[in-house]
Amino acid sequence: MIAKIGSGKSTAGLIRYLFDTNKAKDHTDPHLVASWDGFAPDPGRADDFDATKMRLVADLDLRVKQARRLGRAPERHVWHCSVRTAPGDRYLTDAEWADIAHRIVAATGIAPQGDPDGCRWVAVRHADDHIHIAATKVRGDLRTARHWNDYLTADKQLAAIEKEYGLKRVVRGDRTAAQRPTRAETEKARRAGKTKTSRERLRTTVRQLVSIATSPEDFLHLLDGVEDILVNVQHFPSGDVRGYKVAVEGDTNTAGEPIWFSGAKLAPDLSFPKIAERLTAVEAVSQAGSRRRTNPWHQAAAATERIRHHLDHGDDAVAQAHIAAFGEAIDVLPLLAPSHLRPHLQQAAIVFERATRSRIRAQQDQARALRSAVRALRTAPVTGDGSGLAMFLDIAVLVVIATARWHQVRRHDQQVAAAHHALVHLQAAYQQAAVEPLAALAQRQPPARTMERHAQRIIAILPDHAQQVLDDPAWPALATALTEAETAGHHPEQLLQHAARQRTLGDARSTARTLTWRIQRLAARQAPSDRARAAQARTWATPRPAHSDQTRPSPSQPGPAAPTRHR
């Protein structure tokens, strides 16, 4: 069950809506199931509907008028809570809904159990799956009801009701989710023939710009250049930026003014201070690392691959920072990928956004290397056969799996559900993205003798996965990657050992494909000299503890599991 709570100024307006059967199509049989004293007039069961409705409004507003004479009535005196069962839940009787309504008003402080001065309220049912509770917030002693944190207290009560009534247990959050569009926003978008509300469109746009911006100033510059988006930047008296507001051009209120959304109203992590905190760190790293000229997709893949180490071995603040930075990497993909991959990538970014936030405060400066690598993708659109994107998506799939596990251990239910949902879309995008580059590699399949030589290496180095690799349709592509790496001066055995030790292969859907991308990325580095090879041989020959999954860094192959240091 879920609850939505709001407030208003007009008792008559709310009652008119709750009993309306013309505009609201789901209002088929509106009637009372409960009230503050059990005797409230019910317009839905009266012969004279209009007169009964006026009497009900007058009864609900009685204390409000009394308090208003004393100057003590709140301006927004109406409290409105809708409670809805989940799809597939059993039918609840009017008596059961009445019990639920009584428990909700008691838990939220609207009408505490046993309190004769509780607020006046009614519960209206006009559909099988939900009720609306309408209350006026003035108590019998003419004080305003104490209903702070009413959404949280109602949600806790609903969790208990679900268990007692045998209803579906709804995934509950930690109050860090972005605000959902209101019903009015959704209806407005529907009437305009749009699939997204202005709030949702602006949230997606801002998140994508944050993912490619290199500084707070760059973010504002990019935002100002978006077509059909209005931007209002606020400044302190000192001239420093205080915040920003955005609106969709043409989306206006009844007065013809733009409907503005501050960054914090779009999502908790999109306020300007939160954005500046992340982008200031990115700017420093980008300047410090400007001399490096590595393949941006390889750099991003390497940085992303290290996230699992932080999730497994870092403290929670560091892990949360890397999940947030990884979310920015997912946000940027729809801007770079070919058009046929964008729908899945866009949907993955939208749903994974929920997995990037929790009550754990992120230590943002610990994810600098990852954020710097993500920004480098801004100038690296997908070209050629798309192997860079496929390589990145292969790693991203495993990181999302690890993220879901990390959240699950900490009982972050909404984040777990979001990660699982994003995984479906990322896997679909990867399946499409991998087709062309793997086919191109398979077409360059080496001769049979070379294939046999590589097969013996696989058997010797990966005995637990060897048969799976050799039976995989991607095996010819892996053999080509090993052959081309050997031609470039690399040692295939050492590349395989290093690729296998980078991360467990147990959760890879295709071990051969995962190894192919790793080999390609490792082979893109400069081949080691003879002296370096000798050192590597000694390193690999050294016995390692059975529980260790890390390797000693070499000049051309730095160990990915080691934490990155920044000077």
Side-chain angles (χ1 to χ4, degrees), residues 494-513:
Q494 291 181 1
L495 286 181
L496 276 171
Q497 288 174 319
H498 190 65
R501 291 175 182 240
Q502 281 185 336
R503 184 189 62 235
T504 178
L505 293 166
D507 50 6
R509 300 188 74 183
S510 169
T511 306
R513 286 186 296 188

Side-chain angles (χ1 to χ4, degrees), residues 106-383:
T108 56
I110 292 297
Q113 188 173 7
D115 184 354
D117 288 328
C119 298
R120 293 192 168 195
W121 61 274
V122 293
V124 181
R125 179 180 190 176
H126 47 53
D128 288 346
D129 63 348
H130 70 281
I131 61 171
H132 291 263
I133 304 173
T136 47
K137 297 191 287 187
V138 179
R139 293 167 41 83
D141 54 15
L142 302 188
R143 292 184 299 160
T144 301
R146 299 170 63 89
H147 61 96
W148 293 298
N149 290 325
D150 50 8
Y151 175 78
L152 184 61
T153 54
D155 197 52
K156 289 181 178 179
Q157 187 63 224
L158 290 178
I161 291 171
E162 288 169 352
K163 185 176 181 180
E164 293 176 27
Y165 277 73
L167 303 175
K168 180 180 178 180
R169 307 292 290 274
V170 174
V171 175
R172 301 199 133 74
D174 52 9
R175 306 186 78 183
T176 62
Q179 184 176 336
R180 294 179 180 178
T182 64
R183 177 168 182 168
E185 292 172 352
T186 303
E187 289 297 320
K188 187 176 183 179
R190 182 184 60 79
R191 290 194 301 269
K194 298 178 180 178
T195 57
K196 288 185 178 181
T197 64
S198 293
R199 185 192 300 270
E200 292 170 315
R201 179 191 167 187
L202 291 169
R203 180 185 300 142
T204 298
T205 299
V206 170
R207 287 190 66 85
Q208 287 181 334
L209 295 183
V210 171
S211 70
I212 62 175
T214 56
S215 69
E217 295 75 20
D218 187 34
F219 163 70
L220 293 176
H221 175 73
L222 291 171
L223 186 61
D224 189 53
V226 178
E227 187 177 358
D228 297 334
I229 300 293
L230 304 177
V231 183
N232 184 345
V233 180
Q234 299 92 43
H235 295 82
F236 289 109
S238 63
D240 294 335
V241 176
R242 184 181 66 184
Y244 71 97
K245 295 188 297 184
V246 287
V248 175
E249 188 174 354
D251 184 19
T252 59
N253 56 23
T254 54
E257 301 169 338
I259 299 177
W260 295 99
F261 295 88
S262 66
K265 288 294 184 180
L266 297 178
D269 58 344
L270 294 183
S271 68
F272 187 76
K274 294 287 183 66
I275 291 174
E277 179 185 2
R278 286 179 280 171
L279 297 186
T280 300
V282 170
E283 181 182 27
V285 173
S286 296
Q287 291 174 352
S290 60
R291 294 181 180 179
R292 297 184 61 184
R293 294 185 178 276
T294 57
N295 183 305
W297 286 102
H298 292 178
Q299 185 181 2
T304 301
E305 199 161 30
R306 286 191 285 269
I307 294 177
R308 283 195 52 178
H309 171 79
H310 294 292
L311 297 182
D312 293 340
H313 305 293
D315 62 33
D316 282 359
V318 173
Q320 181 64 62
H322 280 82
I323 292 174
F326 175 66
E328 294 170 16
I330 302 301
D331 288 332
V332 79
L333 292 181
L335 302 177
L336 305 174
S339 58
H340 69 285
L341 298 178
R342 288 174 191 165
H344 277 301
L345 294 177
Q346 186 69 69
Q347 196 60 31
I350 291 172
V351 296
F352 189 76
E353 178 260 351
R354 182 64 191 97
T356 62
R357 289 188 307 277
S358 71
R359 282 290 181 183
I360 299 170
R361 181 174 175 80
Q363 191 174 343
Q364 301 289 5
D365 61 339
Q366 293 298 309
R368 290 180 173 180
L370 176 57
R371 284 199 166 93
S372 180
V374 170
R375 268 60 184 185
L377 295 177
R378 176 178 175 179
T379 57
V382 178
T383 57

